[in-house]
């Protein structure tokens, strides 16, 4: 018998404030057409004043628990992927733990920027397959609106806030790729490229800083690395592109999404796209897109789902699961 980490619940949360592209025209030399043509983004959500990453993550977690028909007391661990935790410490995951009323188990943050959820999934999978936990709440939550340079039109129009969550549960499998659950994962990083995407603040500077990005260079790395990691996970799972029902990519830029699908040899009809409505929500983008795809009736039980993402570090990774 093989233990698999199977998705039993999913949910998401988006802040109430919706910011259309046209809103940026008031303060920046930009336009709705310019933003759409370069990124595919039409709108995004921004957290309200006083609304934190742990608040967003808690609401997504509550939605996932409701979908699974579970209580917080049924959860053994929380793994939160985020680069915008409420405080330096303690972890935002422990804040979510408290807000959910979960008084047992453990919770921790994982930081791999936009690749965060593709790093959190193998972490949670390992907790389950090693017997450390039976049910793990895996969350991606971000408030990137708090680290924007509002005078940089090349970056501030791209990002949004939000959260998504899945619950993984230990279930018996055969060890074959016909099992439901996480089938394979892949994680990578290369610190030589840290200057391509970073925040110019932190403990060493004494200030929170703002996001800096060399967009063209990130794009140059993205398609090749995303297709490469997705293929690696498929190979590890003993699957091919013909087996794929859905690709759920990091929602950073429609051109990256399209380029990666083409390199994988898959049509856009097999890709879940939400970048137009959410913008780039970093570690939250994949679980958000998963949840939207599931709620819209696209992702169904038994489907093979490929997730892939790249972010600052550079860090990139993927996961393949059977829904």
């Amino acid at each position: 018998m093989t233990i698999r980490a199977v998705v039993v619940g999913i949910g998401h949360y988006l802040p109430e404030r919706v910011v259309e592209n046209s809103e940026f025209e008031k303060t920046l030399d930009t336009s709705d057409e310019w933003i759409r043509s370069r990124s595919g983004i039409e709108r995004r959500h921004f957290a309200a004043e006083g609304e934190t990453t742990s608040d967003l993550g808690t609401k997504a977690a509550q939605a996932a628990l409701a979908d699974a028909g579970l209580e917080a007391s049924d959860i053994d661990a929380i793994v939160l992927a985020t680069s915008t935790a409420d405080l330096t410490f303690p972890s935002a995951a422990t804040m979510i733990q408290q807000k959910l009323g979960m008084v047992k188990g453990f919770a921790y943050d994982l930081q791999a920027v936009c690749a965060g959820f593709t790093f959190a999934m193998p972490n949670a999978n390992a907790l389950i397959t090693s017997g450390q936990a039976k049910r793990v709440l895996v969350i991606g939550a971000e408030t990137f609106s708090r680290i924007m340079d509002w005078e940089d039109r090349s970056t501030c129009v791209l990002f949004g806030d939000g959260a998504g969550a899945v619950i993984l549960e230990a279930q018996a499998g055969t060890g074959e790729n016909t099992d439901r659950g996480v089938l394979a994962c892949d994680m990578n990083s290369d610190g030589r490229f840290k200057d391509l995407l970073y925040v110019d603040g932190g403990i060493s500077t004494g200030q929170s800083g703002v996001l800096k990005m060399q967009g063209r260079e990130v794009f140059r790395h993205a398609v090749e690395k995303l297709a490469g990691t997705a293929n690696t996970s498929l190979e590890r799972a003993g699957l091919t592109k013909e087996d794929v029902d859905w690709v759920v990519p990091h929602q950073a830029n429609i051109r990256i999404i399209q380029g990666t699908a083409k390199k994988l040899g898959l049509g856009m009809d097999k890709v879940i796209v939400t970048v137009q409505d959410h913008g780039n929500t970093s570690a939250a983008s994949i679980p958000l897109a998963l949840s939207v795809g599931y709620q819209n009736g696209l992702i169904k039980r038994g489907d093979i789902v490929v997730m892939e993402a790249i972010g600052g570090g550079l860090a990139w990774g993927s996961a393949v699961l059977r829904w």
Side-chain angles (χ1 to χ4, degrees):
M1 183 184 73
T2 298
I3 297 298
R4 294 292 195 185
V6 177
V7 175
V8 295
I10 188 165
H12 70 275
Y13 173 76
L14 291 160
E16 291 185 8
R17 182 185 173 194
V18 179
V19 179
E20 301 286 345
N21 287 343
S22 57
E23 193 165 326
F24 291 101
E25 296 175 359
K26 303 171 186 177
T27 57
L28 294 170
D29 180 17
T30 192
S31 68
D32 174 54
E33 190 280 330
W34 189 90
I35 298 168
R36 287 187 190 217
S37 64
R38 285 159 177 78
S39 67
I41 298 167
E42 301 175 19
R43 63 193 61 84
R44 73 289 291 147
H45 294 247
F46 284 169
E49 184 176 354
E51 190 174 34
T52 65
T53 293
S54 68
D55 290 332
L56 273 57
T58 298
K59 290 177 180 178
Q62 289 168 335
L65 287 166
D67 180 57
L70 297 171
E71 304 291 335
S73 58
D74 297 316
I75 301 298
D76 301 305
I78 298 173
V79 181
L80 170 65
T82 188
S83 297
T84 52
D86 302 13
L87 301 171
T88 301
F89 68 82
S91 69
T94 57
M95 298 177 188
I96 293 173
Q97 183 184 31
Q98 182 269 324
K99 290 173 182 178
L100 290 175
M102 178 180 159
V103 295
K104 69 177 182 67
F106 56 94
Y108 60 90
D109 289 358
L110 183 153
Q111 211 273 51
V113 202
C114 298
F117 195 74
T118 60
F119 278 47
M121 285 293 280
N123 262 256
N125 181 59
L127 291 173
I128 288 173
T129 58
S130 66
Q132 293 292 308
K134 180 180 178 181
R135 295 191 186 96
V136 181
L137 185 55
V138 192
I139 307 169
E142 302 281 17
T143 49
F144 259 51
S145 63
R146 305 267 158 76
I147 56 170
M148 289 294 102
D149 177 353
W150 297 111
E151 296 180 355
D152 182 3
R153 72 169 187 167
S154 68
T155 58
C156 72
V157 301
L158 302 178
F159 293 87
D161 303 335
V166 301
I167 297 172
L168 296 179
E169 178 183 270
Q171 293 186 11
T174 64
E176 303 296 324
N177 59 19
T178 52
D179 290 342
R180 292 183 65 214
V182 177
L183 300 178
C185 302
D186 180 55
M187 296 184 290
N188 310 269
S189 65
D190 192 335
R192 294 176 298 171
F193 302 113
K194 71 178 184 64
D195 291 336
L196 300 187
L197 178 56
Y198 67 100
V199 169
D200 64 350
I203 297 299
S204 62
T205 66
Q207 59 183 10
S208 58
V210 294
L211 184 144
K212 302 290 184 181
M213 180 172 67
Q214 297 180 38
R216 289 182 181 177
E217 285 299 304
V218 172
F219 186 95
R220 187 173 67 84
H221 284 275
V223 172
E224 180 180 350
K225 286 179 168 56
L226 288 172
T229 184
N231 279 324
T232 296
S233 283
L234 282 169
E235 184 178 346
R236 288 175 179 171
L239 299 169
T240 69
K241 67 180 183 180
E242 284 75 22
D243 299 305
V244 176
D245 294 293
W246 293 107
V247 176
V248 183
H250 169 46
Q251 307 287 319
N253 181 300
I254 189 62
R255 292 186 296 170
I256 293 175
I257 294 171
Q258 292 168 338
T260 304
K262 183 178 180 180
K263 197 167 185 65
L264 286 170
L266 295 169
M268 286 298 293
D269 59 331
K270 289 196 171 187
V271 182
I272 304 291
V273 180
T274 59
V275 67
Q276 70 279 2
D277 296 320
H278 303 160
N280 183 346
T281 55
S282 188
S285 74
I286 286 178
L288 265 170
L290 273 173
S291 183
V292 170
Y294 174 72
Q295 287 190 0
N296 289 343
L298 299 177
I299 301 174
K300 299 179 176 65
R301 186 181 177 114
D303 282 355
I304 292 293
V305 178
V306 178
M307 298 166 278
E308 33 88 347
I310 187 169
L314 290 172
W316 64 100
S318 61
V320 175
L321 62 83
R322 187 179 295 279
W323 198 259

